[in-house]
Amino acid sequence: MITYNKENHSFHLHTKSTSYVFFVNERKHLQHVYYGAKIKDIKNLKDFIPQYEFELGTSVSYSEEDKGYMLNYTLLEQSTYGKGDYRNPMLHLELPSGSRTTDFKYESHQECLNLHFEGMPQVRKQSTLEVKLVDVKAKVDLYLYYTVLEEEDVIVRNTKLVNRNEEKIVIDKALSMQLDVLNKEYQLLKLDGAWIRERNISIHNLTKGIVTIDSKQGNSSNSHNPFLLLKEPTTNEAYGNAIGMALVYSGNFEANVEINSHDFVRMNMGINGFDFRYPLASGEEFITPEVLMSFSDTGMSSVSNHFHDAINHHIISPNFKEKERPILVNNWEATYFDFNRKKLLAIAKKAKKLGIELFCLDDGWFSRRNDDFSSLGDWYYNKKKLPSGVKGICEKINKLGLDFGIWVEPEMVNQDSDLYRDHPEWAIQVPGRNPALGRNQMILDLSNPKVREYLKVTLYTLFSSANIKYVKWDMNRNISDVFSSHLDQQSQGKFHHLFILGLYDILEYLTKEFPDILFESCASGGNRFDLGMAYYMPQTWTSDNTDAYERVHIQEGTSMCYPLSMISNHVSGDRAHQTLRHTPLESRFNVAAFGVLGYELDLSKLTKFDFEVIKRQIVFYKEHRTLLQFGTLKRLSSIRDKNYSIWQVMNKEKDEALILYFQDKVRPNPGFSTIKMDQLQEGTYTITNRPQYMNIRVTGSLVNHVLPVKLKVNGGLLNMVANRYLYKNEEMNKTMTSDQLKNMDLLLFHTFTGTGTNDNVMMLPDYGSRIFHIKKENNTNED
Ligand code: GLA
């Protein structure tokens, strides 16, 4: 709900449990008052505003009459440079005179319904507050937008600039929002990473100065995700105050947190001001991408849940809104480039028997693509590998009873390709310089409408050539040699943003033409895991790293902002191709199951043991798919602090939950683990664990104490038995009331301690795990 109080000129934005308040001060600046837990009625607003009575030595006062009013020590809704605010500004403009001083003042406001910004990913909105500010001298209008997602406890912000000069102005920086608050010894949580180590959580104490995370890579990057969370030192997953922010954009970004000399904290976020110089012609406007903001006083998991709900309800395409996602098999790690139709069909046949629903044909199906040196850009099928083309293989896969999907990397081109030979000017490069390559490839200039037209036609032809239900859209290198032969000298500083708008233009077109294709975004795993892509593509390939242990870190970090329905996970072979680590097959599944499940190994070569185990995994996933893709996630414990991570997903009715318990390395005699669950609906609950199977090879020479027969360790017979024998782990079957579960906690069986095992002992090797199922019993004693 958005309300305006005429008396004190204040705006109150209320969500279900938060309030955001600001007002127009005497100088007509927008001054921030409050963002936090809901306050229905704020009385005496001015009593809560930090305001100096006198000028501070060496500082600059905004006006002679009111020396205590210094912009550097005022909580502002937007800031510019030039009138005494020395903190990181949200906006920095160069005016026709060459001056960079601007000063925007309130002019008017209105509530807009169903506001939509053309050509950009954004929250699908209902009610938005638009506040118009004007710098009369600069002849520039600035609109601030505040959309309230009441149910989700999220406020969405962005801005629009309009140049009213007769001449052009230059935007040096235009961030989407800022939030000024007073310091409470805040800590900063961010998601840092690299390829195969994406979005690991790091938490820092903040001190005076500026912390910036950004991307200059041309994509939102795996180095830092465009997400930040500010928390008080005592805040944890379940208690305390936290504010999160996430940007709806896929290109270069910056996010800053600054604490100035007097403990004023400023957070801002938006398009990176580095290598951005955007001339705005007379009458032209510039719209910044949106930022989602959420506060909670019940810990970080709640902030995450707000984002998850907002994304699932308002960012994901309505065609896929809360729609269950298929279980797929992808042939990449099974075959890499080395495949033919026979190999693919062998995998697909086994996939069908296992209960898998979709087959995705990955890289290597087109032109002469047998390694990563050639053919990107030439999106026609390789006749040797696919004699009857994409249509032929798709029909065969469909006949087996599976849907068909295909991999593409449309933004890229190899120098060894027909496309590059025909149009070298379409690739990004600086004339006269040798371009730097990444994975042997170059990037197409999406700021050029001709390139976009070519891609639209080519991809339209490909996607309509067969019964394609799913597309994996990859992007495997960062941008370098930034220059567009299509743009004039003055416009080169627009390149990065125009590239991203160009990408969005193509995606707008394709998602409209093919509304039923499920797109999965990918960028060497998670190099572009952001809300901009999520607007067009309901799910994202989380990381090329499928090692279950690494995935716990990656998925835990990713879930800080992104919902399970977006997080695509695969069970791959042993050992992990990225780390050479062995993790149990059941653990690979247990972790991958928290999100959108797939398999990526040569299913045609599974042992009997693996086949039977996977088959049961898929039955379990299908039974609980809604919960695992759309349930409310709580991170109850983290491997960052303890020897285990515990994740819980619960349904909306709060009468069913699944819990993952994932152990790091085995510690001898660790004592008992207990799980403190979130509050369930009142009632009696049955607690079981997912039936899991262990490969008896894990027991080493102890095998002869486990099996009724004696076998030679590492002998052929043991191998044969191990590849077939399903050793069932302990089973839990308990009944507890909701109060017991909440207050007495769920007690797990003790783990194997070297002295013996029976049905009440958890045999958990390194990286072992379990999934527990908690479900309310039907009340049979109803009167
Ligand atoms: C990237 C993706 C992988 C795979 C390969 C194919 O690395 O992340 O999943 O598709 O490209 O080249």
Side-chain angles (χ1 to χ4, degrees), residues 332 362-363 369 407 439 472 474 476 522 524-525 541 544:
W332 179 241
D362 210 278
D363 194 357
R369 180 86 168 165
W407 177 98
R439 209 190 178 196
K472 178 176 170 189
D474 214 337
N476 280 320
C522 173
S524 292
W541 179 223
D544 277 350

Side-chain angles (χ1 to χ4, degrees), residues 541-649:
W541 179 223
T542 309
S543 171
D544 277 350
N545 195 339
T546 45
D547 168 342
Y549 172 73
E550 290 302 326
R551 273 301 187 117
V552 169
H553 294 83
I554 295 170
Q555 290 172 218
E556 220 162 80
T558 306
S559 76
M560 273 289 157
C561 176
Y562 305 97
L564 293 170
S565 64
M566 254 184 87
I567 303 178
S568 165
N569 310 318
H570 294 176
V571 174
S572 59
D574 187 25
R575 301 183 160 221
H577 289 194
Q578 300 74 26
T579 55
L580 299 181
R581 186 183 276 124
H582 161 77
T583 56
L585 174 57
E586 294 284 38
S587 286
R588 277 174 268 152
F589 167 77
N590 287 346
V591 175
F594 279 69
V596 178
L597 178 69
Y599 285 79
E600 190 167 337
L601 69 168
D602 191 347
L603 298 177
S604 68
K605 301 220 173 75
L606 293 181
T607 62
K608 176 107 174 94
F609 175 89
D610 290 350
F611 180 86
E612 292 299 331
V613 167
I614 292 178
K615 203 166 151 190
R616 287 166 173 78
Q617 292 174 348
I618 290 172
V619 170
F620 179 87
Y621 187 81
K622 284 181 176 168
E623 202 178 315
H624 300 287
R625 182 171 2 207
T626 317
L627 206 48
L628 290 164
Q629 294 183 353
F630 299 100
T632 305
L633 176 80
K634 299 279 177 195
R635 296 170 296 263
L636 301 183
S637 241
S638 172
I639 215 161
R640 287 176 292 118
D641 317 315
K642 299 217 171 100
N643 197 38
Y644 46 80
S645 268
I646 304 177
W647 302 343
Q648 169 200 282
V649 280

Side-chain angles (χ1 to χ4, degrees), residues 365 379 408-411 452-465 468 471 473 506-507 509-510 514 517 519:
W365 60 266
W379 300 106
V408 286
E409 198 183 354
E411 296 152 77
R452 298 204 296 273
E453 197 46 38
Y454 166 80
L455 285 175
K456 285 179 189 172
V457 171
T458 307
L459 294 168
Y460 179 89
T461 311
L462 173 64
F463 297 164
S464 48
S465 71
I468 292 173
V471 168
W473 181 295
I506 296 168
L507 297 179
Y509 168 78
L510 290 172
F514 301 97
I517 290 185
F519 283 89

Side-chain angles (χ1 to χ4, degrees), residues 181-197:
V181 292
L182 291 183
N183 195 6
K184 293 186 184 167
E185 291 180 40
Y186 281 121
Q187 293 183 326
L188 177 65
L189 180 151
K190 51 198 176 61
L191 306 176
D192 305 330
W195 178 61
I196 63 173
R197 185 168 41 77

